[in-house]
Amino acid sequence: MQQEREQELRRQRRLLEKRQELTVAWMSDLRTGDVAWSEKVYEIHEMKPGTPVDLDEGLDFYPPEAQKEILEATRALREEEKPYDLELPIRTAEGNDRWVRTVAAPAEVESGEVRKVVGTFQDITERKREEQRRRQ
């Protein structure tokens, strides 16, 4: 019994470490359209770190239906200061399909206007594949 608990604790620790590895930060200035990505976000998008990206270019990674969803979430974030937490498909710069979890919240609000947004970005492709395997 004790050995099983220790194994489960080790497994949970590995999962937490893996999750922390995969969760990365980004920031966006809604006034200028500037976007700042961590190296891991660039890696998920299969792009060279430091490559300039703006809001429109970031949106282009999402297929049309996902673009609609993230645009609506962004509207609610801007107008209502409502954070979002979405799981959406993207197509990387190299043309590979991935699933990502993107979470965002207002970082700077001035005179009732959201000026900057911060968030996390996580590659959840393997989890989505596993869910699909289980459903089949």
Side-chain angles (χ1 to χ4, degrees):
M1 188 72 144
Q2 178 68 22
Q3 187 178 14
E4 289 173 5
R5 275 187 287 204
E6 288 173 5
Q7 283 180 319
E8 179 61 19
L9 282 172
R10 279 193 297 275
R11 186 186 72 76
Q12 288 178 0
R13 234 180 263 121
R14 282 192 307 272
L15 285 172
L16 179 60
E17 288 168 2
K18 181 90 167 149
R19 184 177 188 138
Q20 288 172 339
E21 257 176 46
L22 298 175
T23 303
V24 291
W26 59 268
M27 193 274 307
S28 164
D29 186 322
L30 298 179
R31 291 172 297 169
T32 65
D34 292 338
V35 176
W37 286 352
S38 69
E39 285 190 26
K40 189 69 176 175
V41 174
Y42 279 106
E43 184 181 313
I44 291 169
H45 284 84
E46 296 184 319
M47 295 176 66
K48 182 180 174 190
T51 303
V53 178
D54 64 24
L55 286 172
D56 290 333
E57 292 166 326
L59 188 62
D60 287 341
F61 288 98
Y62 297 93
E65 285 304 309
Q67 284 184 15
K68 289 178 188 173
E69 190 173 348
I70 200 160
L71 284 170
E72 175 55 30
T74 301
R75 183 209 55 77
L77 186 140
R78 284 180 116 153
E79 295 175 9
E80 304 164 28
E81 297 181 34
K82 181 180 175 184
Y84 66 75
D85 184 342
L86 303 171
E87 294 184 357
L88 301 168
I90 64 167
R91 175 154 294 158
T92 70
E94 298 294 321
N96 294 306
D97 293 326
R98 291 194 173 150
W99 275 90
V100 296
R101 178 179 182 206
T102 183
V103 177
E108 182 180 305
V109 180
E110 192 174 298
S111 303
E113 180 185 351
V114 177
R115 303 270 177 131
K116 292 186 180 177
V117 177
V118 294
T120 60
F121 204 76
Q122 181 180 14
D123 184 343
I124 59 168
T125 305
E126 286 306 312
R127 191 194 86 206
K128 287 291 194 177
R129 286 181 183 153
E130 183 60 33
E131 288 172 2
Q132 185 178 16
R133 278 191 288 271
R134 278 189 242 142
R135 281 193 301 267
Q136 292 173 349

